[in-house]
Amino acid sequence: FFLRVLPESTTSGGTAGNRSFMLQVPVRPRRSTSGGDGGLRSIVAHEMIHGWAGSFQGAGPWASEGLATYFTANLQRRLGLRPIKAFVAELNRLSQEYHGNPYRNATSDDARAVFRADKNGELLPYVRGALYFFALDAAIRQRSGGERSLDDILLELFARRAAGETVSVRTFINALARELGRGIGPELDSVVVRGT
């Protein structure tokens, strides 16, 4: 765990590594008035979650950053680390950053091309992926009458990956199709990959 404290103009953020992560914060971190972004605790949680949730083979940053962003908000709420008001503020923040993003209809490849050059391009996989995972969770809960959730699918896939199986985007789509039907693959391609 490595923490860098940098000059005032620096934004907070982090980088997950192999069984490690690094955070950077400005000398005086910005205080959130909305309660939506969670500050340093959320950054620590996000980077820790990368080491656990990972991604799917063949997926872009929408999966790794989307999963980490989804779980950061959801697990803090579920564990009582943040009140429901902060969770709602986080969902609103994600929605605003997605719908107000000039790249919101960019393909994943186009967004990746501007990832480091433009803050809006950098944000896109985080917010698009997270909102997609929240929508999947809601759809699974609705379809199953509250008996199942996205967690059921992801935890099974994470266990399979830990046992040495390659878990690809296709593996994820197949697991989703068992819950939500065969149209889920084209929907993922349209919403997440092509940005339509």
Side-chain angles (χ1 to χ4, degrees):
F1 180 104
F2 183 62
L3 176 67
R4 298 187 306 166
V5 179
L6 298 173
E8 196 69 33
S9 62
T10 304
T11 59
S12 297
T15 302
N18 185 18
R19 298 182 181 178
S20 65
F21 55 94
M22 174 185 72
L23 306 178
Q24 61 193 38
V25 295
V27 173
R28 289 184 189 85
R30 173 181 64 83
R31 296 244 183 240
S32 172
T33 56
S34 68
D37 65 5
L40 186 58
R41 180 169 53 199
S42 286
I43 296 169
V44 171
H46 181 98
E47 299 308 333
M48 289 174 67
I49 288 167
H50 272 301
W52 166 70
S55 187
F56 311 118
Q57 185 182 50
W62 67 265
S64 61
E65 297 302 349
L67 281 170
T69 303
Y70 166 79
F71 278 121
T72 297
N74 222 357
L75 292 178
Q76 288 186 89
R77 175 193 57 84
R78 288 163 50 187
L79 295 170
L81 297 173
R82 295 182 69 202
I84 192 71
K85 181 179 177 181
F87 175 72
V88 170
E90 177 67 359
L91 288 180
N92 285 333
R93 182 187 71 80
L94 291 170
S95 183
Q96 289 168 353
E97 287 183 355
Y98 178 70
H99 292 287
N101 194 312
Y103 297 106
R104 75 179 170 275
N105 294 118
T107 66
S108 287
D109 287 342
D110 289 346
R112 188 177 303 153
V114 295
F115 187 81
R116 296 284 178 224
D118 185 323
K119 185 68 173 172
N120 288 309
E122 182 179 348
L123 283 174
L124 190 64
Y126 292 78
V127 296
R128 181 187 282 170
L131 291 173
Y132 181 71
F133 289 119
F134 276 113
L136 284 177
D137 184 55
I140 293 166
R141 287 174 188 275
Q142 182 177 20
R143 173 73 64 95
S144 69
E147 295 294 315
R148 293 185 52 79
S149 72
L150 181 59
D151 285 5
D152 294 304
I153 293 170
L154 292 174
L155 293 177
E156 177 194 334
L157 294 177
F158 296 165
R160 289 165 57 184
R161 183 180 58 208
E165 183 178 334
T166 297
V167 176
S168 66
V169 174
R170 175 55 48 202
T171 312
F172 177 57
I173 290 170
N174 290 341
L176 288 176
R178 288 190 290 276
E179 300 285 335
L180 299 172
R182 293 169 42 143
I184 199 68
E187 179 183 285
L188 184 145
D189 182 61
S190 174
V191 172
V192 177
V193 178
R194 290 187 290 122
T196 57

